[in-house]
Amino acid sequence: RTIATRFNSVAQQWREASPAIRSAIDTIASSTVGAEKRRAAAVKALEAMSAHLRGLKSFQVESSTSTDEVLSNGLVLTYSANVNFLVQMPNRVRVDVTSDRNDRRYQFDGKSFTLYARRVGYYATIPAPATLRELDDVLADKYGIELPLADLFRFGSPRWNAAGITVAKDVGPSEVGGT
């Protein structure tokens, strides 16, 4: 609202100056207001999802993901994976990730975290903090590990707050997996 209010104030001054500028400003203003409404709808959807996830004691998500890597020459590589995500809030998770490049299992039991690389037969276990959110922070900050779909338990945690969202857009309905 603050940006839209400032824009409308400045826009009013310019509307009075020139009919051509007035037309351009009116076009921009209508898209700005539309964008604010779409942003509000996106944040509202995230808040509803967060409330729903907080009410769940456990859940499972199966997904197909893709990750883009932009090379220094501008070429974009896209990697795809299948993810099976089992969660028992607030302190248990098992994530299986299978792709052409990796076959990994991430497992957390509330006391320790284990990463198992099936193809190479390698695993590592570390002591872990008590909750999934804390685990995600430790893995990212200390080990450079990003858990797939970690936002699901961030959104579902009691401390989640939409005020930290700086960019959001409701892109509308989309077909996923043929449905």
Side-chain angles (χ1 to χ4, degrees):
R1 287 186 181 185
T2 305
I3 293 170
T5 302
R6 279 187 273 156
F7 175 81
N8 288 335
S9 173
V10 172
Q12 185 58 40
Q13 296 169 8
W14 282 96
R15 278 188 191 101
E16 296 167 1
S18 161
I21 292 174
R22 178 181 182 168
S23 175
I25 288 173
D26 288 344
T27 301
I28 293 168
S30 66
S31 67
T32 301
V33 170
E36 285 296 318
K37 286 181 182 178
R38 286 190 303 274
R39 181 191 182 285
V43 170
K44 186 176 180 180
L46 284 172
E47 288 173 335
M49 181 185 74
S50 174
H52 176 73
L53 288 173
R54 278 194 303 272
L56 298 175
K57 299 298 178 209
S58 62
F59 59 91
Q60 177 179 7
V61 175
E62 293 178 339
S63 72
S64 295
T65 64
S66 62
T67 303
D68 291 339
E69 178 183 351
V70 180
L71 302 178
S72 60
N73 64 2
L75 183 65
V76 178
L77 300 176
T78 300
Y79 303 107
S80 299
N82 292 313
V83 181
N84 186 12
F85 195 82
L86 297 161
V87 178
Q88 184 176 4
M89 296 299 279
N91 61 357
R92 297 194 187 288
V93 67
R94 185 183 86 197
V95 183
D96 292 308
V97 180
T98 306
S99 71
D100 290 338
R101 299 174 60 203
N102 300 309
D103 188 357
R104 303 247 166 93
R105 173 171 283 176
Y106 304 86
Q107 194 153 331
F108 171 59
D109 64 6
K111 296 177 184 171
S112 62
F113 171 79
T114 300
L115 171 58
Y116 176 50
R118 293 181 193 147
R119 288 188 186 151
V120 295
Y122 173 81
Y123 76 94
T125 300
I126 58 168
T131 68
L132 291 168
R133 184 180 183 120
E134 293 168 327
L135 173 68
D136 188 43
D137 289 338
V138 167
L139 292 176
D141 296 344
K142 191 170 181 179
Y143 299 101
I145 296 173
E146 182 178 323
L147 285 176
L149 306 176
D151 287 344
L152 290 175
F153 52 80
R154 286 201 174 271
F155 291 142
S157 73
R159 296 184 312 180
W160 184 79
N161 184 340
I165 296 175
T166 57
V167 177
K169 182 174 183 176
D170 181 353
V171 296
S174 179
E175 186 176 302
V176 177
T179 60

